[in-house]
Amino acid sequence: MEFPSDMEIQDKKLDNKTLFNIAQSARSLIIKMVYSAKSGHPGGSLSIVDILTDLYFKEMVIDPKDPEMPNRDRLVMSKGHASPALYSILALRGYFPQELLMDFRQLNSKLEGHVHRGVPGVESSTGSLGQGLGVAVGMAIASKLKKENYRVFAVLGDGEIEEGSIWESLMAGSKYRLNNLVAILDKNGVQLDGFTKDIMPMGNVYEKVKSFGWNVMEFNGHNFNEIHAAFDFARKSTDKPVFLIANTVKGKGVSYMENNPKYHGSPPASNEEYEQALSEIGARIYEK
Amino acid sequence: MKSESLREAYGKKLVELGRVHKDLVVLDADLSSSTKTQAFGKEFPDRFFNMGISEQSMVTTAAGMALSDLKPFVSTFAIFLTRTYEQIRQSVCYNNINVKFVVTHAGITVGEDGATHQMVEDVGLMSGLPNMKVIVPSDSVETESVIDYLVEKTKTPYYVRLTREKFPVLNEEGYQFREGKNTVLRDGNDLTIFANGSMLSFALQAAEKLKELAIDTAVINVSSIKPMDRSNIIEYAKKTGHIVTAEEHSIYNGLGSRVCEVTSEEYPVPVVRVGMKDSFGKSGKSWELFDYFHMGVNDIVSAGVKSFREEKKYETIS
């Protein structure tokens, strides 16, 4: 299958099979990046990559040839440790050559360990948790103030929402009726030290965020039909900001990484693990 | 000498600039009647954002605005902004974007509110951040000039430190702030006092008293803490051979420390630092507190005299 043309992408015509192939190619790149860097965060990258695929190849109004286009949609990767996912998707989307990915985390590479604004397509440096939603709030306010009418997406981790600053920003999003703001929670249930339910039980996130004045929807973050339904829901929200709870699997696509806190921040431990990961990911037809 | 409020000057200037610059936005955290950003909010309600008592949200929101080419000014009390140190570091300074922090109620002149509200470590904290520049205006005239400069000429992060009390107006009308440049308010040959903020008028009074002791004293305004006017400091270290620093801040990591860095690297001379000596503040009337913490006019005079005694000690040793 040929890589979809710019025209096909812009017309939002990609079918689920193509989106799946892009996501799997990104998964393969994620594994290669962290394995070649001997460090990095595969778990939370593999859990969010399907959603990022849909955002960059279908949902967002962007132009990789003009990354600074004034009315472009913005995405703030608040869970900045999932940089391998964002960088892979940006490379596949054509913001920069795929070869650069293999310099990830190396001295003199633009691809800093955590998401870095020097990389084409990146809107804000992130990595210290709890800050990206506020940055997205500021961008969404600016969009309205300047009447540029772009939309802003913020990607949060479910460990991240233990930060109180997230709840401050939820209040602000609600106060300013930011119907152009969509927060996506990558609810994979795992954080560095273990399972989120043990580290800091969050209870009913749906009800909590709803009570903060947001429109909330829960969906399967690995199913493209459900991802599309979630973004349809977000587009139709005219009164409030939207909070999408994506139920995902940490380490999705690599069996030994799935739901294993060890792979929050560790690459494949051996060449055998590396090969197994690539073989399980399988289809990676858009990788160069 | 007439005294004027620096924060009133700030608030007034914001409104003036807001009329011209439609991309100027102001954020506050429930203290706008004290920081004086309220006036901007009244005239430009669409461009004023009261974020509530949520400083972290205020700072990151400002970062998002700056990343979208607005010009945010962020105001609260000095003490409360420092709780967002990491937001300032990551979302503003690392991104190196156009967010201006103008804090009020810095130092011990918050007075009666006491130690919990007297921020005397902020200059050190903010100066330590890459890309951040730090300015401590000394009066209302300088404050207006600084705000003007920030809006018209700059696009990177700045920290401007204002106070609650009114201070004597020392700079002449038409004075223009120059980043990285000191201003010599009074020249002298024997001793130099580098001071800023509230301590500048004390330094001038101290210089008069030192004259009676036959110590011809220069007084220099170091409102631009970062970048610092190294060549002016070296020039006066060479010319006068004795230095006193005076700041309404901890002597650690503030003006005093920075002057010592420059002199010890370039031209070592005795330096005696006047300021808070690794302690918290205390409730009391602002002007009483200066004496209590040995930061009054007479303490500056003593520091000046002491700088000469140090020299004698070195002579004895050699």
Side-chain angles (χ1 to χ4, degrees):
Chain A
M1 270 168 80
E2 270 193 38
F3 196 74
S5 67
D6 282 354
M7 193 84 80
E8 284 172 298
I9 298 171
Q10 270 161 27
D11 292 348
K12 302 183 188 293
K13 279 188 177 151
L14 304 194
D15 58 20
N16 289 359
K17 179 69 185 161
T18 307
L19 291 168
F20 173 80
N21 282 333
I22 293 168
Q24 290 304 95
S25 301
R27 282 195 164 86
S28 168
L29 291 167
I30 289 165
I31 294 298
K32 288 184 173 173
M33 285 170 78
V34 297
Y35 191 63
S36 95
K38 296 278 176 274
S39 68
H41 298 78
S45 294
L46 295 168
S47 61
I48 192 62
V49 75
D50 298 309
I51 289 165
L52 287 182
T53 301
D54 203 74
L55 281 164
Y56 279 90
F57 283 84
K58 199 154 186 143
E59 184 62 24
M60 287 166 62
V61 177
I62 47 169
D63 182 1
K65 292 194 189 69
D66 185 9
E68 306 283 309
M69 180 172 78
N71 61 345
R72 70 191 182 278
D73 288 346
R74 269 82 163 164
L75 182 138
V76 182
M77 193 71 180
S78 195
K79 47 173 281 181
H81 54 280
S83 51
L86 182 63
Y87 291 164
S88 298
I89 291 296
L90 290 173
L92 285 162
R93 187 68 178 83
Y95 281 90
F96 53 87
Q98 279 187 35
E99 298 85 79
L100 292 184
L101 294 173
M102 295 310 134
D103 296 334
F104 177 53
R105 288 183 167 240
Q106 304 305 306
L107 190 62
N108 297 328
S109 165
K110 272 195 177 178
L111 304 189
E112 274 274 320
H114 288 75
V115 167
H116 179 231
R117 189 172 161 240
V119 178
V122 170
E123 300 288 352
S124 180
S125 294
T126 48
S128 172
L129 297 174
Q131 304 191 20
L133 185 59
V135 172
V137 164
M139 290 175 169
I141 290 174
S143 169
K144 285 179 177 289
L145 206 57
K146 296 165 81 181
K147 301 194 166 47
E148 286 178 336
N149 298 322
Y150 55 81
R151 300 169 74 207
V152 185
F153 298 85
V155 178
L156 317 176
D158 57 348
E160 176 175 16
I161 64 172
E162 291 159 16
E163 293 279 9
S165 54
I166 291 292
W167 301 88
E168 290 186 6
S169 297
L170 285 171
M171 287 188 277
S174 172
K175 174 181 175 183
Y176 292 106
R177 299 175 190 279
L178 300 176
N179 58 356
N180 55 347
L181 174 62
V182 182
I184 301 152
L185 182 70
D186 182 14
K187 191 159 171 266
N188 59 34
V190 178
Q191 57 192 109
L192 193 146
D193 264 351
F195 296 95
T196 51
K197 65 178 171 42
D198 302 322
I199 306 290
M200 185 50 69
M202 194 51 67
N204 190 330
V205 177
Y206 182 98
E207 290 299 335
K208 280 185 175 167
V209 177
K210 205 170 174 59
S211 75
F212 272 64
W214 288 53
N215 285 328
V216 189
M217 181 178 166
E218 205 161 347
F219 67 106
N220 177 343
H222 299 305
N223 177 312
F224 282 104
N225 284 332
E226 291 205 23
I227 295 173
H228 296 150
F231 288 137
D232 283 344
F233 171 82
R235 247 178 279 115
K236 283 172 191 155
S237 173
T238 52
D239 56 336
K240 295 172 181 179
V242 172
F243 196 92
L244 301 175
I245 301 172
N247 291 309
T248 58
V249 176
K250 190 105 172 182
K252 172 74 177 176
V254 178
S255 58
Y256 64 86
M257 287 187 176
E258 289 190 359
N259 293 311
N260 185 348
K262 178 186 166 190
Y263 292 98
H264 166 86
S266 306
S270 63
N271 199 44
E272 288 70 41
E273 279 196 11
Y274 174 66
E275 293 298 340
Q276 186 190 338
L278 293 184
S279 132
E280 286 182 10
I281 288 164
R284 29 189 232 256
I285 59 176
Y286 298 131
E287 194 190 319
K288 281 181 186 148
Chain B
M1 198 176 288
K2 70 171 174 174
S3 285
E4 281 182 9
S5 156
L6 282 64
R7 54 194 168 116
E8 293 278 6
Y10 166 54
K12 194 181 90 187
K13 196 73 197 174
L14 271 183
V15 173
E16 217 178 285
L17 289 162
R19 288 181 189 137
V20 183
H21 296 268
K22 303 295 176 197
D23 48 3
L24 189 65
V25 291
V26 177
L27 299 89
D28 206 304
D30 192 41
L31 288 170
S32 66
S33 58
S34 298
T35 63
K36 302 300 171 192
T37 62
Q38 200 175 46
F40 186 94
K42 276 194 184 134
E43 185 151 343
F44 310 106
D46 293 347
R47 288 191 272 145
F48 177 76
F49 300 88
N50 197 327
M51 302 304 288
I53 308 169
S54 313
E55 292 82 8
Q56 302 177 88
S57 160
M58 172 168 69
V59 171
T60 49
T61 299
M65 290 168 160
L67 284 164
S68 312
D69 298 321
L70 292 174
K71 292 179 179 153
F73 272 70
V74 174
S75 285
T76 179
F77 290 1
I79 179 72
F80 304 128
L81 189 73
T82 57
R83 76 188 288 143
T84 71
Y85 191 64
E86 211 225 339
Q87 277 79 13
I88 296 171
R89 179 182 188 275
Q90 312 272 7
S91 288
V92 177
C93 291
Y94 186 47
N95 276 328
N96 196 14
I97 49 177
N98 193 6
V99 179
K100 312 304 187 199
F101 301 99
V102 183
V103 299
T104 65
H105 297 65
I108 55 172
T109 43
V110 185
E112 293 83 346
D113 278 342
T116 57
H117 284 50
Q118 292 164 347
M119 170 43 70
V120 294
E121 307 95 47
D122 52 331
V123 170
L125 284 167
M126 297 303 162
S127 299
L129 292 169
N131 293 332
M132 180 70 100
K133 291 175 179 170
V134 178
I135 301 169
V136 183
S138 57
D139 66 8
S140 57
V141 171
E142 184 161 40
T143 302
E144 287 196 33
S145 178
V146 166
I147 303 304
D148 225 10
Y149 170 76
L150 295 191
V151 173
E152 302 288 354
K153 306 279 186 203
T154 71
K155 289 186 169 175
T156 54
Y158 280 77
Y159 180 79
V160 181
R161 184 183 203 240
L162 305 179
T163 40
R164 187 178 82 169
E165 291 283 354
K166 292 177 177 176
F167 291 161
V169 180
L170 304 173
N171 293 293
E172 287 167 16
E173 205 62 45
Y175 161 88
Q176 289 212 335
F177 167 78
R178 293 171 307 156
E179 180 178 312
K181 292 288 173 204
N182 289 346
T183 309
V184 180
L185 273 87
R186 173 194 172 113
D187 216 337
N189 290 306
D190 304 329
L191 169 73
T192 308
I193 305 174
F194 291 104
N196 62 21
S198 56
M199 301 297 277
L200 196 59
S201 67
F202 291 176
L204 286 165
Q205 293 171 51
E208 275 301 309
K209 292 196 172 190
L210 284 160
K211 194 177 171 186
E212 291 163 19
L213 302 173
I215 301 175
D216 183 21
T217 305
V219 176
I220 295 180
N221 179 10
V222 191
S223 45
S224 181
I225 289 269
K226 187 187 172 194
M228 186 162 260
D229 190 347
R230 293 176 71 95
S231 61
N232 173 267
I233 292 168
I234 297 160
E235 181 192 335
Y236 274 81
K238 287 178 180 168
K239 182 176 173 183
T240 64
H242 301 84
I243 291 175
V244 167
T245 62
E247 61 196 308
E248 193 188 333
H249 183 271
S250 173
I251 58 167
Y252 300 122
N253 307 321
L255 171 65
S257 291
R258 296 296 311 276
V259 168
C260 287
E261 281 169 27
V262 175
T263 53
S264 59
E265 282 175 352
E266 307 278 353
Y267 193 84
V269 296
V271 178
V272 182
R273 294 175 293 169
V274 175
M276 294 292 281
K277 294 171 184 67
D278 198 27
S279 75
F280 289 105
K282 203 173 172 42
S283 278
K285 294 203 167 47
S286 300
W287 310 110
E288 293 171 348
L289 289 169
F290 281 112
D291 289 332
Y292 181 89
F293 286 107
H294 304 292
M295 293 159 62
V297 174
N298 290 334
D299 300 298
I300 300 175
V301 172
S302 306
V305 172
K306 193 179 166 206
S307 74
F308 285 89
R309 281 203 203 121
E310 294 289 335
E311 188 176 72
K312 279 181 191 148
K313 192 170 75 187
Y314 299 138
E315 280 168 1
T316 321
I317 293 164
S318 62

